[in-house]
Amino acid sequence: MSQTPKRSGWYTFFFILGLLALLAGSFYGAILLLFIGIPMWAVFGLPVLIGGYITLWVRGYKHPLFGRKTCLAWLAILSGAGVAVLYPLGHELYREYLSSISVPAEINQWQYNPQDADNKLAKLDVPATLTLQAPYPKLDGSTALYPIYAAFAQATYPLKAGEYYSDYVNLSKTGEAYERLFAGQVDIIFVPAPSKAHQAKAQELGIELHLTPIGKEAFVFFVNAQNPVDGLSVAQIRQIYSGSLTNWREVGGHDQRIRAFQRPENSGSQTALQKIMGDTPLQAAPREDVAGDMGGIIDRVSDYYNFSDAIGYSFLFYSTQMTAKKEIKLLQIDGIAPNHANIRAGNYPFTNDFYAVTVIGRENDNVRKLLAWVQSPQGQELVQKTGYIPFTEPATNP
């Protein structure tokens, strides 16, 4: 028969001190868990942990701290700690892993800021033949085309002291850029052709769009660099994204399911995929829970993660220039590589024009001058120097 352990006042003191530390830590821990986007159920591990601690304290007066009578208390402590501490830790480590293999959906806008003298924007070797006078056209557009239209503004907007390019050059992405054009908030947007939804919205508003072609770009599909598949057919792309082709083994790869990532609705790349699919319905896009700006969880279309079984898509310039350090490879389509020569010749099947889009009837003189200049040899030179295929070949300097 075990003897009842003798507990001094220090036993009570240290257990109370520990309890206060647990209560304070649980309060701030619960707030932290919610704001970093951990599922709500993880918070319930905290009261289990505290309950187990109090039970251990009470039972410890009459029984050894490590014995049969306190095993349930220890089980509650370990379970609560696992749910409230170890799970969030593992969750964050997994997020770090995903971040390490993600291909971001954004460019670093500040590297292409025309206000910065050391930006990475393409520049002309001689002064531009067009110098606009204020008020300058307000520009917006898709993420991948921002380096082009920011370069246009830098070349033709002679800003004075106290004026800022940010007042005229915005980056709202494709879907929002169309909405801002419809609302009259911007004058020109640089984007792929409008989606069916945007065409319907323009018709509903009684707006007629004018599309000025300024360059060509390839829509490309990419996989992990270790994937043995080097190319797909157009038919196989449609089968993958409709959900009827589900294993890489069926196209010469490993025996792995195909994880087909998509982009959000009305984004430029998603619109391009929908055009490729035609009347073939798309399968549901992979989704993920992410932390919102003000806490809580937001359900959204998942970013691309470079798993060994993944396939994603983007535009050639973005996938090669913006993700150069990511271990991805571009796929041939119908045996044709997505390089500049094949795009220029029209051989690559997913070649798209991109446009400067305006609303007919709203173009002022400055807008018309800028549209004419971007199709001029100098404007097309900037398109080429940025890394795109110009709509017309720019004149070469002798």
Side-chain angles (χ1 to χ4, degrees), residues 114-189:
Q115 201 76 42
D116 185 354
D118 297 324
N119 63 54
K120 295 173 63 176
L121 293 172
K123 298 173 178 62
L124 298 169
D125 297 326
V126 296
T129 56
L130 173 67
T131 301
L132 294 173
Q133 300 299 319
Y136 306 113
K138 292 185 176 182
L139 312 180
D140 205 340
S142 68
T143 302
L145 295 180
Y146 178 79
I148 290 182
Y149 63 85
F152 292 158
Q154 179 176 257
T156 61
Y157 291 16
L159 298 190
K160 300 176 182 178
E163 294 182 317
Y164 301 95
Y165 283 105
S166 57
D167 294 330
Y168 306 101
V169 183
N170 302 282
L171 174 55
S172 298
K173 305 181 184 179
T174 302
E176 182 63 24
Y178 269 104
E179 294 297 329
R180 297 189 72 211
L181 180 69
F182 295 158
Q185 297 172 354
V186 293
D187 300 303
I188 310 174
I189 60 173

Coordinates of all heavy atoms in Angstrom, one line a residue, residues 114-189:
P114 N 8.1 52.5 -61.9 CA 8.7 53.5 -62.7 C 9.2 54.7 -61.9 O 10.1 55.5 -62.4 CB 7.6 53.9 -63.7 CG 6.3 53.5 -63.0 CD 6.7 52.3 -62.2
Q115 N 8.8 54.9 -60.7 CA 9.3 56.0 -59.8 C 10.7 55.7 -59.4 O 11.4 56.7 -59.0 CB 8.3 56.2 -58.6 CG 8.4 57.5 -58.0 CD 7.6 58.6 -58.8 OE1 6.6 58.3 -59.3 NE2 8.2 59.8 -58.9
D116 N 11.1 54.5 -59.3 CA 12.4 54.1 -58.8 C 13.4 54.2 -60.0 O 13.3 53.5 -61.0 CB 12.4 52.7 -58.2 CG 13.7 52.3 -57.6 OD1 14.7 53.1 -57.7 OD2 13.7 51.2 -57.0
A117 N 14.5 54.9 -59.8 CA 15.5 55.1 -60.9 C 16.2 53.8 -61.2 O 16.7 53.6 -62.3 CB 16.5 56.2 -60.5
D118 N 16.3 52.9 -60.2 CA 17.0 51.6 -60.4 C 16.0 50.4 -60.7 O 16.4 49.3 -60.4 CB 17.8 51.3 -59.1 CG 18.9 52.3 -58.8 OD1 19.4 52.8 -59.8 OD2 19.1 52.6 -57.7
N119 N 14.9 50.7 -61.3 CA 13.9 49.7 -61.5 C 14.4 48.8 -62.7 O 15.4 49.0 -63.3 CB 12.5 50.2 -61.9 CG 12.6 51.1 -63.1 OD1 13.0 50.7 -64.2 ND2 12.1 52.3 -63.0
K120 N 13.7 47.6 -62.9 CA 14.1 46.6 -63.9 C 13.3 46.8 -65.2 O 13.3 45.9 -66.0 CB 13.8 45.2 -63.3 CG 14.7 44.9 -62.1 CD 14.3 43.6 -61.5 CE 14.5 42.4 -62.4 NZ 14.2 41.1 -61.7
L121 N 12.6 47.9 -65.4 CA 11.8 48.1 -66.6 C 12.7 48.3 -67.8 O 13.8 48.8 -67.7 CB 11.0 49.4 -66.4 CG 9.9 49.4 -65.4 CD1 9.2 50.8 -65.2 CD2 8.8 48.4 -65.8
A122 N 12.2 47.8 -68.9 CA 12.9 48.0 -70.2 C 12.9 49.4 -70.6 O 12.0 50.2 -70.3 CB 12.2 47.2 -71.3
K123 N 14.0 49.9 -71.2 CA 14.2 51.3 -71.5 C 14.7 51.4 -73.0 O 15.3 50.5 -73.5 CB 15.2 51.9 -70.6 CG 14.8 51.9 -69.1 CD 15.9 52.4 -68.2 CE 15.4 52.4 -66.8 NZ 15.1 51.1 -66.2
L124 N 14.3 52.5 -73.6 CA 14.7 52.8 -75.0 C 16.1 53.3 -75.0 O 16.6 54.0 -74.0 CB 13.8 53.8 -75.6 CG 12.3 53.4 -75.8 CD1 11.5 54.6 -76.2 CD2 12.2 52.3 -76.8
D125 N 16.8 53.2 -76.1 CA 18.2 53.7 -76.2 C 18.2 55.2 -76.6 O 19.2 55.8 -76.4 CB 19.0 52.9 -77.2 CG 19.1 51.4 -76.9 OD1 19.3 51.1 -75.7 OD2 19.1 50.6 -77.8
V126 N 17.1 55.6 -77.1 CA 17.0 57.1 -77.5 C 15.7 57.6 -76.9 O 14.8 56.8 -76.5 CB 17.0 57.2 -79.0 CG1 18.3 56.8 -79.6 CG2 15.8 56.5 -79.6
P127 N 15.5 58.9 -76.8 CA 14.3 59.5 -76.2 C 13.1 59.0 -77.0 O 13.1 58.8 -78.2 CB 14.5 61.0 -76.3 CG 16.0 61.2 -76.3 CD 16.5 60.0 -77.1
A128 N 11.9 58.8 -76.3 CA 10.7 58.4 -77.0 C 10.2 59.5 -78.0 O 10.4 60.7 -77.7 CB 9.6 58.2 -75.9
T129 N 9.6 59.0 -79.1 CA 9.1 60.0 -80.1 C 7.8 60.6 -79.6 O 7.3 61.5 -80.2 CB 8.9 59.2 -81.4 OG1 8.0 58.1 -81.1 CG2 10.2 58.8 -82.0
L130 N 7.2 60.1 -78.5 CA 6.0 60.6 -77.9 C 6.3 61.1 -76.5 O 6.8 60.4 -75.7 CB 4.9 59.5 -77.9 CG 3.6 59.9 -77.2 CD1 2.8 61.0 -77.9 CD2 2.7 58.7 -76.9
T131 N 5.9 62.4 -76.3 CA 5.9 63.0 -75.0 C 4.6 63.5 -74.7 O 4.1 64.5 -75.3 CB 7.0 64.1 -74.9 OG1 8.3 63.6 -75.2 CG2 7.0 64.7 -73.5
L132 N 3.9 62.9 -73.8 CA 2.5 63.3 -73.4 C 2.5 64.5 -72.5 O 3.5 64.7 -71.7 CB 1.7 62.1 -72.8 CG 1.4 61.0 -73.8 CD1 0.8 59.8 -73.0 CD2 0.5 61.4 -74.9
Q133 N 1.4 65.2 -72.4 CA 1.2 66.3 -71.5 C 0.1 65.9 -70.6 O -0.9 65.2 -71.0 CB 0.9 67.6 -72.2 CG 2.0 68.1 -73.1 CD 3.4 68.3 -72.4 OE1 3.3 68.8 -71.3 NE2 4.5 67.9 -73.0
A134 N 0.1 66.3 -69.3 CA -0.9 66.0 -68.3 C -2.2 66.6 -68.8 O -2.3 67.6 -69.5 CB -0.5 66.6 -67.0
P135 N -3.4 66.0 -68.5 CA -3.5 64.8 -67.7 C -3.1 63.5 -68.4 O -3.6 63.3 -69.5 CB -5.0 64.8 -67.2 CG -5.7 65.5 -68.4 CD -4.7 66.5 -68.9
Y136 N -2.3 62.7 -67.8 CA -1.9 61.4 -68.5 C -2.9 60.3 -68.4 O -3.7 60.3 -67.4 CB -0.6 60.9 -67.8 CG 0.5 62.0 -67.8 CD1 0.9 62.5 -66.6 CD2 1.1 62.4 -68.9 CE1 1.9 63.4 -66.5 CE2 2.1 63.4 -68.9 CZ 2.5 63.9 -67.7 OH 3.5 64.9 -67.6
P137 N -3.0 59.4 -69.3 CA -4.0 58.3 -69.2 C -3.7 57.5 -68.0 O -2.5 57.2 -67.7 CB -3.7 57.5 -70.5 CG -3.1 58.5 -71.5 CD -2.3 59.5 -70.6
K138 N -4.7 57.0 -67.3 CA -4.6 56.1 -66.2 C -4.6 54.7 -66.7 O -5.5 54.3 -67.4 CB -5.7 56.4 -65.2 CG -5.6 57.7 -64.5 CD -6.7 57.9 -63.4 CE -6.5 59.2 -62.7 NZ -7.5 59.4 -61.6
L139 N -3.5 54.0 -66.3 CA -3.3 52.6 -66.8 C -3.5 51.6 -65.7 O -3.3 51.8 -64.5 CB -1.9 52.5 -67.3 CG -1.4 53.6 -68.3 CD1 0.0 53.3 -68.7 CD2 -2.3 53.8 -69.5
D140 N -3.9 50.4 -66.1 CA -4.1 49.3 -65.2 C -3.9 48.0 -66.0 O -3.8 48.1 -67.2 CB -5.5 49.3 -64.5 CG -5.5 48.6 -63.2 OD1 -4.6 47.8 -62.9 OD2 -6.4 48.9 -62.4
G141 N -3.9 46.8 -65.4 CA -3.8 45.6 -66.1 C -3.5 44.4 -65.3 O -3.6 44.4 -64.1
S142 N -3.1 43.4 -66.1 CA -2.8 42.1 -65.5 C -1.4 42.1 -64.8 O -0.5 42.9 -65.2 CB -2.9 41.0 -66.5 OG -1.8 41.1 -67.5
T143 N -1.2 41.1 -63.9 CA 0.1 41.1 -63.2 C 1.3 40.9 -64.2 O 2.3 41.6 -64.1 CB 0.1 39.9 -62.2 OG1 -1.0 40.0 -61.3 CG2 1.4 39.8 -61.5
A144 N 1.2 39.9 -65.1 CA 2.3 39.6 -66.0 C 2.6 40.8 -67.0 O 3.7 40.9 -67.5 CB 2.0 38.3 -66.7
L145 N 1.6 41.6 -67.3 CA 1.9 42.7 -68.2 C 2.3 44.0 -67.6 O 2.6 45.0 -68.3 CB 0.6 42.9 -69.1 CG 0.2 41.7 -70.0 CD1 -1.1 42.1 -70.7 CD2 1.3 41.4 -70.9
Y146 N 2.3 44.1 -66.3 CA 2.7 45.3 -65.6 C 4.0 45.8 -66.0 O 4.2 47.0 -66.2 CB 2.6 45.1 -64.1 CG 3.1 46.3 -63.3 CD1 2.2 47.4 -63.1 CD2 4.4 46.4 -62.7 CE1 2.6 48.5 -62.3 CE2 4.8 47.5 -62.0 CZ 3.9 48.6 -61.8 OH 4.3 49.7 -61.1
P147 N 5.1 45.0 -66.2 CA 6.4 45.5 -66.6 C 6.3 46.2 -68.0 O 7.2 47.0 -68.3 CB 7.3 44.2 -66.7 CG 6.6 43.3 -65.7 CD 5.2 43.5 -65.8
I148 N 5.3 45.8 -68.8 CA 5.2 46.5 -70.1 C 4.6 47.8 -70.0 O 5.1 48.8 -70.5 CB 4.4 45.6 -71.1 CG1 5.2 44.3 -71.5 CG2 4.1 46.4 -72.4 CD1 4.5 43.4 -72.5
Y149 N 3.4 47.9 -69.4 CA 2.7 49.2 -69.4 C 3.4 50.2 -68.5 O 3.3 51.4 -68.7 CB 1.2 49.1 -69.2 CG 0.7 48.5 -67.9 CD1 0.5 49.3 -66.8 CD2 0.3 47.2 -67.8 CE1 0.0 48.8 -65.7 CE2 -0.2 46.7 -66.7 CZ -0.4 47.5 -65.6 OH -0.9 47.0 -64.4
A150 N 4.1 49.7 -67.5 CA 4.9 50.6 -66.6 C 6.0 51.2 -67.4 O 6.4 52.4 -67.2 CB 5.4 49.9 -65.4
A151 N 6.6 50.4 -68.3 CA 7.7 50.9 -69.2 C 7.2 51.9 -70.2 O 7.8 52.9 -70.5 CB 8.3 49.7 -69.9
F152 N 5.9 51.7 -70.7 CA 5.3 52.7 -71.6 C 5.2 54.0 -70.9 O 5.5 55.1 -71.4 CB 3.9 52.2 -72.0 CG 3.9 51.0 -72.9 CD1 2.8 50.2 -73.1 CD2 5.0 50.7 -73.7 CE1 2.8 49.2 -73.9 CE2 5.0 49.6 -74.6 CZ 3.9 48.8 -74.7
A153 N 4.7 54.0 -69.6 CA 4.5 55.2 -68.9 C 5.8 55.9 -68.6 O 6.0 57.1 -68.7 CB 3.7 54.9 -67.6
Q154 N 6.8 55.1 -68.2 CA 8.1 55.7 -67.9 C 8.7 56.4 -69.1 O 9.4 57.4 -69.0 CB 9.1 54.6 -67.4 CG 10.5 55.1 -67.1 CD 11.3 53.9 -66.5 OE1 11.6 53.8 -65.4 NE2 11.8 53.1 -67.4
A155 N 8.4 55.9 -70.3 CA 9.0 56.4 -71.5 C 8.3 57.7 -72.0 O 8.9 58.6 -72.6 CB 9.0 55.4 -72.6
T156 N 7.0 57.8 -71.7 CA 6.2 58.9 -72.3 C 5.5 59.9 -71.4 O 5.0 60.8 -71.8 CB 5.1 58.2 -73.2 OG1 4.2 57.5 -72.4 CG2 5.7 57.3 -74.3
Y157 N 5.6 59.6 -70.1 CA 5.0 60.5 -69.1 C 6.2 61.4 -68.4 O 6.8 60.9 -67.5 CB 4.3 59.8 -68.0 CG 3.1 59.0 -68.4 CD1 2.7 58.8 -69.7 CD2 2.2 58.6 -67.4 CE1 1.6 58.1 -70.0 CE2 1.0 57.9 -67.7 CZ 0.7 57.6 -69.0 OH -0.4 57.0 -69.3
P158 N 6.4 62.6 -68.9 CA 7.4 63.4 -68.3 C 7.0 64.1 -67.0 O 6.6 65.3 -66.9 CB 7.7 64.5 -69.4 CG 6.3 64.6 -70.0 CD 5.7 63.3 -70.0
L159 N 6.9 63.3 -65.9 CA 6.4 63.8 -64.6 C 7.3 65.0 -64.1 O 8.5 65.0 -64.2 CB 6.3 62.7 -63.6 CG 5.4 61.5 -63.9 CD1 5.3 60.6 -62.7 CD2 4.1 62.0 -64.4
K160 N 6.6 65.9 -63.4 CA 7.3 67.0 -62.8 C 7.4 66.7 -61.3 O 6.9 65.8 -60.8 CB 6.5 68.3 -63.0 CG 6.3 68.7 -64.5 CD 5.4 69.9 -64.7 CE 5.2 70.2 -66.2 NZ 4.3 71.4 -66.4
A161 N 8.1 67.6 -60.6 CA 8.3 67.5 -59.2 C 7.0 67.5 -58.5 O 6.1 68.3 -58.8 CB 9.2 68.6 -58.6
G162 N 6.8 66.5 -57.6 CA 5.5 66.4 -56.9 C 4.5 65.6 -57.6 O 3.4 65.3 -57.0
E163 N 4.8 65.0 -58.8 CA 3.9 64.1 -59.5 C 4.4 62.7 -59.3 O 5.7 62.5 -59.2 CB 3.8 64.5 -61.0 CG 3.1 65.8 -61.2 CD 3.0 66.1 -62.7 OE1 4.0 65.8 -63.5 OE2 1.9 66.5 -63.1
Y164 N 3.5 61.7 -59.3 CA 3.9 60.3 -59.0 C 3.3 59.4 -60.0 O 2.1 59.5 -60.4 CB 3.5 59.9 -57.6 CG 4.1 60.8 -56.5 CD1 3.4 61.9 -56.0 CD2 5.4 60.6 -56.0 CE1 4.0 62.7 -55.1 CE2 6.0 61.4 -55.1 CZ 5.3 62.5 -54.6 OH 5.8 63.3 -53.6
Y165 N 4.1 58.4 -60.5 CA 3.6 57.4 -61.4 C 2.4 56.6 -60.8 O 1.5 56.2 -61.5 CB 4.7 56.5 -61.8 CG 5.6 57.1 -62.9 CD1 6.9 57.5 -62.5 CD2 5.2 57.2 -64.2 CE1 7.8 58.0 -63.4 CE2 6.1 57.7 -65.1 CZ 7.4 58.1 -64.8 OH 8.2 58.7 -65.7
S166 N 2.4 56.5 -59.5 CA 1.4 55.7 -58.8 C 0.0 56.3 -59.0 O -1.0 55.6 -58.8 CB 1.7 55.5 -57.4 OG 1.8 56.8 -56.7
D167 N -0.1 57.6 -59.4 CA -1.3 58.2 -59.6 C -1.9 57.8 -61.0 O -3.1 58.0 -61.3 CB -1.2 59.8 -59.6 CG -0.9 60.3 -58.2 OD1 -1.3 59.6 -57.3 OD2 -0.2 61.3 -58.1
Y168 N -1.1 57.2 -61.9 CA -1.5 56.9 -63.2 C -1.3 55.4 -63.6 O -1.9 55.0 -64.5 CB -0.7 57.8 -64.2 CG -0.8 59.3 -64.0 CD1 0.3 59.9 -63.3 CD2 -1.9 60.0 -64.3 CE1 0.2 61.3 -63.1 CE2 -2.0 61.3 -64.0 CZ -0.9 62.0 -63.4 OH -1.0 63.3 -63.1
V169 N -0.4 54.7 -62.9 CA -0.1 53.4 -63.2 C -0.4 52.5 -62.0 O 0.1 52.6 -61.0 CB 1.4 53.2 -63.5 CG1 1.7 51.8 -64.0 CG2 1.9 54.2 -64.6
N170 N -1.4 51.6 -62.3 CA -2.0 50.7 -61.2 C -1.8 49.3 -61.6 O -1.6 48.9 -62.8 CB -3.4 51.0 -61.0 CG -3.7 52.5 -60.6 OD1 -3.5 52.9 -59.5 ND2 -4.2 53.3 -61.6
L171 N -1.9 48.4 -60.6 CA -1.8 47.0 -60.8 C -3.0 46.3 -60.0 O -2.9 46.1 -58.8 CB -0.5 46.4 -60.4 CG -0.4 44.8 -60.5 CD1 -0.7 44.3 -61.8 CD2 1.0 44.4 -60.1
S172 N -4.1 46.1 -60.7 CA -5.3 45.5 -60.1 C -5.5 44.1 -60.5 O -6.5 43.5 -60.1 CB -6.5 46.4 -60.4 OG -6.3 47.7 -59.9
K173 N -4.7 43.5 -61.4 CA -4.9 42.2 -62.0 C -6.1 42.2 -63.0 O -6.8 43.2 -63.0 CB -5.1 41.1 -60.9 CG -4.0 41.1 -59.8 CD -4.3 40.0 -58.8 CE -3.3 40.0 -57.7 NZ -3.5 39.0 -56.7
T174 N -6.1 41.2 -63.8 CA -7.0 41.2 -64.9 C -8.5 41.4 -64.6 O -9.1 42.3 -65.2 CB -6.9 39.8 -65.7 OG1 -5.5 39.6 -66.1 CG2 -7.8 39.8 -66.9
G175 N -9.1 40.6 -63.7 CA -10.5 40.8 -63.4 C -10.8 42.2 -62.9 O -11.8 42.8 -63.4
E176 N -10.1 42.6 -61.9 CA -10.4 43.9 -61.3 C -10.1 45.1 -62.3 O -10.8 46.1 -62.3 CB -9.6 44.1 -60.0 CG -9.8 45.4 -59.3 CD -11.3 45.5 -58.8 OE1 -11.9 44.5 -58.6 OE2 -11.7 46.7 -58.6
A177 N -9.1 44.9 -63.2 CA -8.8 45.9 -64.2 C -10.0 46.1 -65.1 O -10.3 47.3 -65.5 CB -7.5 45.5 -64.9
Y178 N -10.6 45.0 -65.6 CA -11.8 45.2 -66.4 C -12.9 45.9 -65.7 O -13.6 46.8 -66.2 CB -12.3 43.8 -66.9 CG -11.6 43.3 -68.2 CD1 -10.6 42.4 -68.2 CD2 -12.1 43.9 -69.4 CE1 -10.1 42.0 -69.4 CE2 -11.5 43.5 -70.6 CZ -10.5 42.5 -70.6 OH -9.9 42.1 -71.8
E179 N -13.1 45.6 -64.4 CA -14.1 46.2 -63.6 C -13.9 47.7 -63.5 O -14.8 48.6 -63.6 CB -14.2 45.6 -62.2 CG -14.7 44.2 -62.2 CD -16.1 44.0 -62.8 OE1 -16.9 44.9 -62.6 OE2 -16.4 42.9 -63.4
R180 N -12.6 48.1 -63.3 CA -12.3 49.5 -63.2 C -12.4 50.2 -64.5 O -12.8 51.4 -64.5 CB -10.8 49.6 -62.6 CG -10.6 49.0 -61.2 CD -9.3 49.4 -60.7 NE -9.2 50.8 -60.3 CZ -8.1 51.6 -60.4 NH1 -7.0 51.0 -60.8 NH2 -8.1 52.8 -60.0
L181 N -12.1 49.5 -65.6 CA -12.3 50.1 -66.9 C -13.8 50.4 -67.1 O -14.2 51.5 -67.6 CB -11.8 49.2 -68.0 CG -11.9 49.8 -69.4 CD1 -11.1 51.0 -69.7 CD2 -11.6 48.7 -70.5
F182 N -14.7 49.4 -66.8 CA -16.1 49.6 -67.0 C -16.6 50.8 -66.2 O -17.5 51.5 -66.6 CB -16.8 48.3 -66.5 CG -16.5 47.1 -67.4 CD1 -16.7 45.8 -66.8 CD2 -16.1 47.2 -68.7 CE1 -16.5 44.7 -67.6 CE2 -15.9 46.1 -69.5 CZ -16.0 44.8 -68.9
A183 N -16.0 50.9 -65.0 CA -16.5 52.0 -64.1 C -15.9 53.3 -64.4 O -16.3 54.4 -63.8 CB -16.2 51.6 -62.6
G184 N -15.0 53.4 -65.4 CA -14.5 54.7 -65.8 C -13.4 55.2 -64.9 O -13.0 56.3 -64.9
Q185 N -12.8 54.3 -64.1 CA -11.7 54.6 -63.1 C -10.4 54.7 -63.8 O -9.4 55.3 -63.2 CB -11.7 53.7 -61.9 CG -13.0 53.7 -61.1 CD -13.1 52.7 -60.1 OE1 -12.2 51.8 -60.0 NE2 -14.1 52.7 -59.2
V186 N -10.2 54.0 -64.9 CA -9.0 54.0 -65.7 C -9.3 54.2 -67.1 O -10.4 54.0 -67.6 CB -8.1 52.7 -65.4 CG1 -7.6 52.6 -64.0 CG2 -9.0 51.5 -65.8
D187 N -8.3 54.5 -67.9 CA -8.5 54.8 -69.3 C -8.1 53.7 -70.2 O -8.7 53.4 -71.2 CB -7.6 56.1 -69.7 CG -8.0 57.3 -68.9 OD1 -9.2 57.7 -69.0 OD2 -7.2 57.9 -68.3
I188 N -7.0 53.0 -69.9 CA -6.5 51.9 -70.7 C -6.1 50.7 -69.8 O -5.5 51.0 -68.7 CB -5.2 52.2 -71.5 CG1 -5.5 53.5 -72.3 CG2 -4.9 51.1 -72.5 CD1 -4.2 54.0 -73.0
I189 N -6.5 49.5 -70.1 CA -6.0 48.3 -69.4 C -5.2 47.4 -70.3 O -5.6 47.3 -71.5 CB -7.1 47.6 -68.7 CG1 -8.2 47.1 -69.7 CG2 -7.8 48.4 -67.6 CD1 -9.2 46.1 -69.0

